[in-house]
Amino acid sequence: MHDFGFIDGLIAAFSLHNLVYALFGCLMGTLVGILPGLGPASAMAILIPVAAYLPPEAAVIIFGGIYYGAMYGGSTTAILMNIPGEVASSVTTLDGYPMARQGRAGQALAAAAIGSFIAGIAGAFAVGWLGPIVGEVALLFGPVEYLGLIVFSMTAVISFAGRSLVLGVAMAVLGVWLSSLGVDPQNGVPRLTFGSVELRMGFDIVPVMVGIFGLGEVFFNLSQKIESTYIGRLGAWYSMLPRASELRATITSGIRGTMIGGVLGLLPGMVPALTAYLAYGLEKRVSGQPQTFGQGRIEGVAAPEAANNATAMAGFVPLLSLGIPTSPALVIVLGAMVMNGVTPGPTMFTQHADIAYTVVASMFLCNAMLLVLNLPLVGLWARISLIPYKYLAPIIIGVCLIGAYAPRNTMFDVGIALGAGAFGYLMRRLDWPMTPLLLGFLLGPIFETTLRQTLSASGGSWAPLYTHPISVAFLLAGGIVLVATLYIRRSNAMAQLIEESTNEA
Amino acid sequence: MKRDLLAKLPTIVLGVSLAAFGLISMWDAERITREYRKPGAFDVVGPDNFLFYTGVLLILSGIAVACSAGAAGDGAHSETPLFPSTPVMIFLTACAYAAAIPLVGYLVATIAFFPLVNWLLGVRFKANMIASVCTVTVLYIVFDRLAGIPFPSASLFS
């Protein structure tokens, strides 16, 4: 029997319906990137009810398009208005906006698009190549190894979680606790239900995500004032392309940014804004003229944009091969796949090869589409960014409430979404980290299952955790990440970026 | 000093809430042990012990959070009040909308919801009507007619 491979995935990705899904995702992603106040996780949360009615690969194609599209789109307002559409593009303002003020807005936008494209294509190759390899290694995992992996993931996410490790840990524990509400997965015993029929159903991931990332974000944005002024005239799109030495600089810095973002993006909790900052720092060192950065260096635009897109792409490797999401947006992608009956993990590239390779092939397609969308249509996107938020907010609220209701057709979930929305608002206003809460909620059941299986097999002893080599490696890696982030937090700029990214939806 | 205390208050409330959840968790774990734990019924950990130790962690986290309030610089240092009127009114309106759907049906509740929210957000009358009609129409067609989502029936009219 013919094994479904990458070529089959490419053919499937170029089918008419998948092309339409990819285009829709890219348009939505660019729009989301353009509009301050609407992040990729919010947009995906809003579209969850749509995902429920689509084939699983379609949902992932759309959500993937939104995710990397937002990375492309966020640079437009960063360059033209000094307002990053996404936190990941905040580093781009440092040289992008000065370039716009010098009348080189077109070159800056082109450099951002080219850098993102290089990262996107390289990232897609990496997912297609690394994904099956990681999956094969993961087939050797037993409950002990999975427990070690989950502890590492949670440690990494908490380490990158905003300004306070204490808050990060507390949110993660709260997430695990919330996931335990309902019926125990192994014995069917009701927990924290207090005799309520609705509470026996437990909290579904969809209303929680829609509430925190959708409604919470709307309430937060309504409490803020977002002013934007569009500057710069843009000529025809082909006049924007950098020439000669600028083109060379764009490509080489884009490659360096890709490598930084791609490698670091494999880590759970690693945020695109941080890799963008690190890539920018590298360019300053490599250039030999650090004092010229911040005044319109094209490398200062291409490298961070490449890094943030590479981080976004790299996150799909642990997501598809291990079932571990590395960012809030990928938590939602995972939720959408699970809703459609596909559980990512070690067998993703074998048992669900049709979905996996179609998604990988669509990554190439989406990145090509985004390059086309972001250059010729940049003037249009810049004008769309001026739409007042008050026109969008009611629509988002309406869709979110439907989205919360749709999976289980119960108003209880709508109530959960509203409660989660109120809590999400508080989290945004008070800079309480969201990602550990979401990850704790999503990984809580797996954590409980693997913990109980590990301790059952060992008769209650914790010894397997520190005698199984893979588990030990994960625990050590978690310790290294924790120490490394304590060092990173000594830089105020990096600490600020981590905090803003973790609370962005 | 009063301003500092107000800034720390949300984090302290969070910490106390986490500790309270932890106590509830431990209480429910004890109930499960009492009602369900029999020889051979559960694995070594069991649903009760997992809940119990999660409760312990919640209490410890809650205490740590409450004690750390203000140490790292709370986010509640913005000039904007924590509960400004616009998002609060929108939230309450959304709650009323959710409560109204089972009573009057999705369509009627939605027809009332959008113009009200647009009005609260300061959208002018003409733009409000256009936006509301378009939004209600699109949402109704997409989710009720095309997706066939079974919204609750209007109990007041049935």
Side-chain angles (χ1 to χ4, degrees):
Chain A
M1 181 164 164
H2 164 69
D3 285 337
F4 198 98
F6 176 72
I7 300 297
D8 304 293
L10 204 56
I11 295 168
F14 273 93
S15 62
L16 184 61
H17 52 271
N18 282 334
L19 279 173
V20 171
Y21 295 138
L23 183 62
F24 176 72
C26 292
L27 284 171
M28 277 293 299
T30 307
L31 187 65
V32 159
I34 296 287
L35 295 171
L38 193 63
S42 301
M44 290 185 207
I46 293 162
L47 288 174
I48 281 276
V50 176
Y53 294 93
L54 294 173
E57 69 274 11
V60 181
I61 288 171
I62 289 176
F63 286 2
I66 291 174
Y67 192 29
Y68 9 97
M71 298 300 143
Y72 274 80
S75 59
T76 302
T77 50
I79 290 165
L80 296 179
M81 300 173 195
N82 203 28
I83 298 174
E86 304 301 320
V87 178
S89 296
S90 39
V91 181
T92 308
T93 61
L94 298 176
D95 278 274
Y97 189 62
M99 284 182 74
R101 293 185 74 93
Q102 291 162 14
R104 295 161 61 216
Q107 282 74 27
L109 291 165
I114 293 170
S116 295
F117 178 73
I118 293 171
I121 297 302
F125 268 117
V127 175
W129 174 63
L130 265 182
I133 295 173
V134 172
E136 275 193 35
V137 170
L139 281 172
L140 303 171
F141 288 7
V144 182
E145 286 76 19
Y146 263 108
L147 185 60
L149 173 61
I150 289 167
V151 170
F152 163 66
S153 302
M154 295 296 292
T155 307
V157 166
I158 289 166
S159 300
F160 288 117
R163 60 188 165 87
S164 165
L165 285 176
V166 168
L167 272 172
V169 171
M171 287 299 159
V173 175
L174 179 62
V176 171
W177 181 75
L178 286 170
S179 74
S180 67
L181 190 147
V183 171
D184 158 48
Q186 291 188 243
N187 301 104
V189 169
R191 293 190 294 199
L192 300 167
T193 60
F194 310 107
S196 161
V197 170
E198 280 98 356
L199 286 176
R200 276 185 81 99
M201 295 193 299
F203 290 166
D204 192 71
I205 184 68
V206 171
V208 172
M209 283 190 306
V210 159
I212 289 178
F213 288 119
L215 296 174
E217 197 63 20
V218 170
F219 300 144
F220 175 77
N221 290 326
L222 291 175
S223 70
Q224 309 291 305
K225 247 189 175 348
I226 302 171
E227 305 279 354
S228 51
T229 311
Y230 167 42
I231 67 151
R233 289 184 179 279
L234 299 168
W237 67 270
Y238 43 82
S239 69
M240 297 182 201
L241 297 175
R243 307 255 195 281
S245 61
E246 280 202 328
L247 183 61
R248 258 195 318 274
T250 298
I251 292 172
T252 50
S253 55
I255 291 171
R256 283 192 289 268
T258 298
M259 286 166 60
I260 288 180
V263 170
L264 295 177
L266 294 169
L267 289 175
M270 176 55 72
V271 293
L274 186 56
T275 58
Y277 183 84
L278 293 170
Y280 186 82
L282 177 66
E283 288 307 307
K284 281 174 78 171
R285 275 191 218 104
V286 162
S287 71
Q289 296 174 310
Q291 72 281 3
T292 59
F293 278 76
Q295 292 167 35
R297 284 289 297 258
I298 205 164
E299 297 92 328
V301 173
E305 285 296 317
N308 73 30
N309 203 25
T311 303
M313 303 295 298
F316 278 88
V317 173
L319 175 70
L320 294 177
S321 309
L322 300 172
I324 302 287
T326 56
S327 69
L330 291 177
V331 167
I332 299 178
V333 175
L334 175 62
M337 294 179 81
V338 169
M339 266 172 54
N340 281 299
V342 175
T343 307
T347 57
M348 186 73 194
F349 284 88
T350 48
Q351 288 182 9
H352 298 290
D354 51 342
I355 296 168
Y357 283 111
T358 304
V359 166
V360 171
S362 76
M363 289 176 179
F364 289 96
L365 190 61
C366 283
N367 277 283
M369 280 184 182
L370 284 163
L371 188 66
V372 170
L373 283 174
N374 276 274
L375 284 179
L377 298 180
V378 66
L380 174 65
W381 297 120
R383 280 168 180 80
I384 287 174
S385 71
L386 299 174
I387 294 175
Y389 192 75
K390 62 186 176 185
Y391 293 108
L392 299 176
I395 300 170
I396 296 171
I397 294 172
V399 175
C400 282
L401 293 180
I402 297 171
Y405 177 82
R408 300 194 297 188
N409 299 328
T410 165
M411 293 304 294
F412 174 71
D413 284 345
V414 177
I416 296 296
L418 284 165
F423 190 59
Y425 166 77
L426 285 174
M427 292 175 93
R428 283 288 266 131
R429 279 302 307 271
L430 299 168
D431 297 331
W432 293 343
M434 292 184 194
T435 314
L437 176 71
L438 254 300
L439 210 59
F441 186 78
L442 206 65
L443 296 182
I446 316 170
F447 172 69
E448 180 181 356
T449 304
T450 52
L451 177 70
R452 287 168 67 174
Q453 285 174 347
T454 300
L455 292 178
S456 289
S458 65
S461 165
W462 292 90
L465 268 180
Y466 50 85
T467 54
H468 283 224
I470 296 177
S471 170
V472 170
F474 279 129
L475 294 176
L476 272 175
I480 291 169
V481 167
L482 185 62
V483 169
T485 49
L486 287 173
Y487 176 75
I488 283 172
R489 280 169 195 278
R490 287 165 59 190
S491 159
N492 285 336
M494 287 203 255
Q496 176 83 6
L497 279 173
I498 292 172
E499 183 181 327
E500 286 174 7
S501 290
T502 346
N503 289 331
E504 182 194 46
Chain B
M1 188 175 167
K2 187 180 172 187
R3 197 178 144 91
D4 275 345
L5 186 60
L6 278 174
K8 293 178 193 176
L9 190 60
T11 308
I12 294 172
V13 169
L14 174 68
V16 170
S17 302
L18 290 174
F21 293 153
L23 284 171
I24 293 170
S25 196
M26 291 169 73
W27 171 80
D28 203 49
E30 192 276 331
R31 176 194 65 82
I32 293 170
T33 305
R34 204 172 359 102
E35 288 181 18
Y36 294 96
R37 189 172 267 276
K38 293 172 179 51
F42 295 155
D43 51 277
V44 168
V45 176
D48 50 347
N49 286 328
F50 183 81
L51 192 62
F52 182 87
Y53 288 111
T54 307
V56 170
L57 284 175
L58 268 177
I59 291 173
L60 293 173
S61 305
I63 293 170
V65 164
C67 292
S68 73
D74 274 289
H77 46 61
S78 163
E79 293 304 316
T80 319
L82 186 57
F83 298 108
S85 58
T86 303
V88 168
M89 290 304 297
I90 301 298
F91 171 72
L92 292 173
T93 308
C95 290
Y97 172 50
I101 290 175
L103 294 173
V104 300
Y106 174 71
L107 187 58
V108 172
T110 306
I111 286 170
F113 174 69
F114 279 102
L116 179 56
V117 169
N118 283 325
W119 175 72
L120 286 169
L121 291 175
V123 178
R124 289 176 187 262
F125 179 76
K126 197 173 166 186
N128 185 348
M129 289 301 109
I130 294 170
S132 298
V133 166
C134 291
T135 308
V136 171
T137 307
V138 169
L139 290 183
Y140 180 70
I141 291 172
V142 169
F143 292 111
D144 193 279
R145 296 287 113 181
L146 292 177
I149 295 177
F151 289 109
S153 54
S155 63
L156 268 185
F157 304 139
S158 57

